[in-house]
Amino acid sequence: MTHITYRGGVSIPELVIYVPALLIAVLLSIRHGFTHASGWRFLVVFALARILSSSFALALLSDLTNVSLNIGYSILINIALSPLLLTSFGLVSRIISDINTRKVTIVKPRMIQPVQIVVTVGLIIGIVGGDEAGTSYNKTGVYEVKTLTKASVVLFAICLAILVIFVISLFPVVSYAPPGEKRLLFAVAFSLPFLSVRLIYSLISVFSGLHSFSFLGGSETIILCMALLEEIVVVVTYESVGLTLKKLPKASKDRDTELQSHPPPRAAQPEYQSPQYGPAPAAYRSEA
């Protein structure tokens, strides 16, 4: 009879949670659109990653020493923050676009995509770093966090700090958002403490050298309390809000994409008129 380990016991309820979460994420992506501005498709990626990591953990019940499964599990734990950050920026992008139809904001929609690119770079180098660590572990039997993995976590930390700044800057103008859309900003703001705890776990894991925080063979209780539970709260929050949002008409989706790549032009300055002589002659206007 197969013995259920702590990790396996945690993975079973994860599957119970993330299989429906995946279906809801797909529904939201179809309803709101698979565009960068929506962010919902990144929830699909995250749910798939969590289902895959849980499957790895259950597969390890029959072979605890399988290097490939252990490394795959550790990589998925490390990079899990990236799709949640991408989703968060996607939701912020939508609220920024909505507000900018009524009020010009400090944070522009075009500012979102460069940050999302940085998160994506962090995701890629995190995978590469995890693969390098796996290759080294397979040869030496010692798991060592590689420089690329550390760099990926630093990029996530920088992007989370930017997300906090964006959210704080939007609160003074959130009243300009359409009815029902304001809850997007509140959902992201509510999730920030949980994303921060999740980030702290990753920072300690890659920089402290403490075995209990290690991605591979670390304390499952710490992973549960500082990573897995926080991720569940964020996913439930975003999907709950997403289900209550109205579907954007196609014109609004096109507008969001247009605002990201081509911000609205500044209003033309009014023509100067002298209080005594009236409008300036055309020759003087052209010279000016």
Side-chain angles (χ1 to χ4, degrees), residues 52-195:
L52 190 58
S53 66
S54 299
S55 300
F56 285 171
L58 292 176
L60 283 168
L61 294 178
S62 58
D63 187 5
L64 292 174
T65 61
N66 188 298
V67 174
S68 298
L69 292 176
N70 276 291
I71 294 300
Y73 178 82
S74 66
I75 291 175
L76 290 170
I77 288 291
N78 176 42
I79 66 172
L81 189 60
S82 55
L84 292 182
L85 285 174
L86 290 169
T87 301
S88 302
F89 279 110
L91 300 184
V92 169
S93 175
R94 172 166 166 162
I95 192 70
I96 292 173
S97 299
D98 288 333
I99 293 174
N100 268 265
T101 60
R102 297 169 173 83
K103 174 74 174 179
V104 177
T105 59
I106 297 176
V107 181
K108 309 300 181 185
R110 67 180 183 273
M111 297 179 181
I112 298 295
Q113 286 187 350
V115 186
Q116 287 182 317
I117 291 174
V118 175
V119 177
T120 305
V121 171
L123 168 65
I124 294 171
I125 65 177
I127 294 174
V128 175
D131 182 66
E132 289 181 353
T135 302
S136 175
Y137 178 77
N138 199 24
K139 294 178 180 179
T140 65
V142 178
Y143 181 77
E144 179 184 359
V145 178
K146 298 300 181 180
T147 302
L148 286 177
T149 302
K150 295 178 180 179
S152 71
V153 176
V154 170
L155 290 180
F156 295 156
I158 293 172
C159 292
L160 180 57
I162 294 173
L163 178 64
V164 172
I165 294 172
F166 283 2
V167 170
I168 292 175
S169 68
L170 288 174
F171 266 102
V173 293
V174 70
S175 59
Y176 290 93
E181 295 291 312
K182 300 175 185 178
R183 68 193 72 171
L184 281 173
L185 184 62
F186 293 116
V188 177
F190 173 78
S191 299
L192 287 178
F194 299 98
L195 291 172

Side-chain angles (χ1 to χ4, degrees), residues 129-285:
D131 182 66
E132 289 181 353
T135 302
S136 175
Y137 178 77
N138 199 24
K139 294 178 180 179
T140 65
V142 178
Y143 181 77
E144 179 184 359
V145 178
K146 298 300 181 180
T147 302
L148 286 177
T149 302
K150 295 178 180 179
S152 71
V153 176
V154 170
L155 290 180
F156 295 156
I158 293 172
C159 292
L160 180 57
I162 294 173
L163 178 64
V164 172
I165 294 172
F166 283 2
V167 170
I168 292 175
S169 68
L170 288 174
F171 266 102
V173 293
V174 70
S175 59
Y176 290 93
E181 295 291 312
K182 300 175 185 178
R183 68 193 72 171
L184 281 173
L185 184 62
F186 293 116
V188 177
F190 173 78
S191 299
L192 287 178
F194 299 98
L195 291 172
S196 299
V197 173
R198 178 63 180 83
L199 173 65
I200 290 171
Y201 167 76
S202 293
L203 288 170
I204 296 175
S205 297
V206 301
F207 289 107
S208 70
L210 295 174
H211 179 70
S212 57
F213 281 86
S214 174
F215 293 139
L216 186 64
S219 169
E220 295 297 332
T221 300
I222 292 177
I223 295 177
L224 174 65
C225 296
M226 294 190 68
L228 303 182
L229 291 178
E230 282 72 17
E231 293 168 359
I232 291 172
V233 171
V234 174
V235 171
V236 170
T237 300
Y238 287 169
E239 291 193 342
S240 298
V241 171
L243 290 172
T244 66
L245 293 175
K246 294 181 179 179
K247 179 180 179 180
L248 287 177
K250 186 179 187 300
S252 297
K253 294 179 183 178
D254 294 341
R255 180 204 68 209
D256 290 348
T257 304
E258 180 68 19
L259 281 173
Q260 283 196 352
S261 55
H262 302 288
R266 296 179 59 184
Q269 296 295 325
E271 181 182 289
Y272 173 75
Q273 295 191 18
S274 168
Q276 182 176 359
Y277 300 104
Y284 291 100
R285 290 202 299 269

Side-chain angles (χ1 to χ4, degrees), residues 29 32-42 87 90-91 93-94:
S29 298
H32 298 291
F34 281 88
T35 63
H36 255 314
S38 68
W40 302 111
R41 64 177 178 180
F42 299 116
T87 301
L91 300 184
S93 175
R94 172 166 166 162

Side-chain angles (χ1 to χ4, degrees), residues 11-23:
S11 299
I12 294 173
E14 270 197 292
L15 285 174
V16 173
I17 292 171
Y18 282 114
V19 169
L22 173 62
L23 298 177

